[in-house]
Amino acid sequence: MIKLTGVKYTKIGVMILSKRKIESFVHRQLLDYDKHYFDHPHPVNIDDFVENYLKLNIEFHQLSLDRSELGATALSDGTIQIIDSDGKVSLRFFRKGSIYIDDVACNSENRTSFTIGHEAGHSQFNKKVKAELIDNKDQIRDKVIQIGSQYIKRRTKTDKEWMEWQADTYSAYLHMPREFVIQLYREKHNEYFKNKRITTSRPNRLWKIVIEISDFLHVSKEALAIRLKELKLISKDQF
């Protein structure tokens, strides 16, 4: 398995990573996972990648009574609070490397997949963070995962927000590799805009491209639109 090397840390143990560094890391991991991975665009099989390549265990449980917690990552052995089928709170022992997902709280297959990728990012990037940044001293619990937050500038973030940025960015690049998005966009652009100019006054064709690519890659339309803008495939006005 490809691991990050030569990484610097803040005083509180948060990795110092750029988008370019994370994207390169994801690319190398996917090629190591399957040398033919980039032969043609396809949605990531996130369960297989996380369990069989990263060797992380994924379990699905209700994590909170109000469905406010989407996922949790175990950074060491410990216990996690879950809600039983009868609605009672109980504690379950977990081992380091476990990922817990509340797929009902995630409320869609795309959100569940993105959350699994997000937690997989935590499991790799946040092993050395200080205790004050970790919930319950042995796990990171995610109440809100903001798709698109990976594009907020670094200087606006706290250490905790920086950790979430890294995990979001890792998941975004797993689900929307540069090569796949560019190829799919060019194919759809040729199909819907051949000999036509994209204008903000005719958004329907562009919206159709966003819908078709996001459905194909199993990501949200918002996430795909943000990725298209990041790759400069669409302009700020078109976004």
Side-chain angles (χ1 to χ4, degrees):
M1 184 184 83
I2 300 294
K3 297 182 179 180
L4 274 174
T5 57
V7 179
K8 294 182 179 180
Y9 296 82
T10 66
K11 291 181 180 180
I12 205 165
V14 177
M15 281 187 173
I16 300 173
L17 295 171
S18 65
K19 286 192 293 185
R20 182 175 296 180
K21 180 81 170 178
I22 297 174
E23 186 170 25
S24 173
F25 176 56
V26 170
H27 183 90
R28 289 184 291 118
Q29 281 195 328
L30 290 173
L31 274 180
D32 192 46
Y33 166 63
D34 178 0
K35 65 181 180 180
H36 298 294
Y37 195 85
F38 293 103
D39 286 359
H40 57 83
H42 60 275
V44 64
N45 185 336
I46 195 68
D47 296 75
D48 184 71
F49 176 80
V50 170
E51 292 191 317
N52 295 321
Y53 179 71
L54 298 181
K55 305 300 182 184
L56 300 171
N57 181 53
I58 305 172
E59 292 191 29
F60 296 89
H61 297 281
Q62 184 178 343
L63 299 177
S64 59
L65 288 169
D66 61 359
R67 302 287 189 183
S68 63
E69 294 189 9
L70 306 181
T73 296
L75 298 180
S76 63
D77 293 349
T79 57
I80 187 169
Q81 176 181 293
I82 65 170
I83 312 302
D84 294 331
S85 57
D86 59 2
K88 294 181 179 179
V89 177
S90 65
L91 292 178
R92 179 179 291 258
F93 175 79
F94 61 72
R95 294 196 177 278
K96 180 180 179 180
S98 297
I99 290 174
Y100 281 72
I101 302 294
D102 190 327
D103 54 343
V104 175
C106 289
N107 90 51
S108 74
E109 189 173 332
N110 291 350
R111 172 63 76 171
T112 297
S113 182
F114 193 92
T115 303
I116 292 172
H118 177 101
E119 301 302 334
H122 278 316
S123 73
Q124 297 174 86
F125 300 151
N126 304 135
K127 295 178 180 179
K128 295 184 179 181
V129 295
K130 303 298 183 182
E132 55 263 40
L133 290 181
I134 304 174
D135 307 299
N136 301 331
K137 297 184 179 180
D138 50 26
Q139 62 195 268
I140 296 172
R141 299 176 73 95
D142 288 297
K143 290 182 177 295
V144 179
I145 296 173
Q146 293 287 352
I147 292 177
S149 68
Q150 65 268 27
Y151 304 111
I152 299 173
K153 292 182 179 179
R154 165 69 180 98
R155 64 176 176 269
T156 66
K157 301 179 189 303
T158 64
D159 285 307
K160 179 68 173 176
E161 289 169 338
W162 185 224
M163 287 168 54
E164 297 304 322
W165 178 92
Q166 293 171 353
D168 271 358
T169 302
Y170 180 80
S171 189
Y173 292 162
L174 272 179
H175 287 83
M176 297 175 288
R178 173 184 297 263
E179 295 85 346
F180 290 179
V181 174
I182 291 175
Q183 181 177 334
L184 290 167
Y185 179 79
R186 286 175 176 169
E187 289 174 355
K188 295 299 179 183
H189 182 276
N190 186 59
E191 180 179 350
Y192 293 115
F193 287 96
K194 190 173 183 179
N195 300 320
K196 296 182 178 68
R197 188 166 65 91
I198 300 177
T199 65
T200 55
S201 62
R202 297 289 299 276
N204 290 344
R205 292 193 189 98
L206 184 56
W207 183 238
K208 193 169 185 178
I209 289 176
V210 170
I211 292 172
E212 291 192 12
I213 298 177
S214 62
D215 286 348
F216 180 79
L217 292 178
H218 298 173
V219 298
S220 73
K221 298 171 185 62
E222 177 189 4
L224 192 278
I226 290 170
R227 186 69 165 131
L228 291 174
K229 179 174 173 289
E230 183 194 36
L231 293 172
K232 294 182 170 48
L233 294 171
I234 61 176
S235 67
K236 182 178 179 179
D237 289 340
Q238 290 163 348
F239 174 79

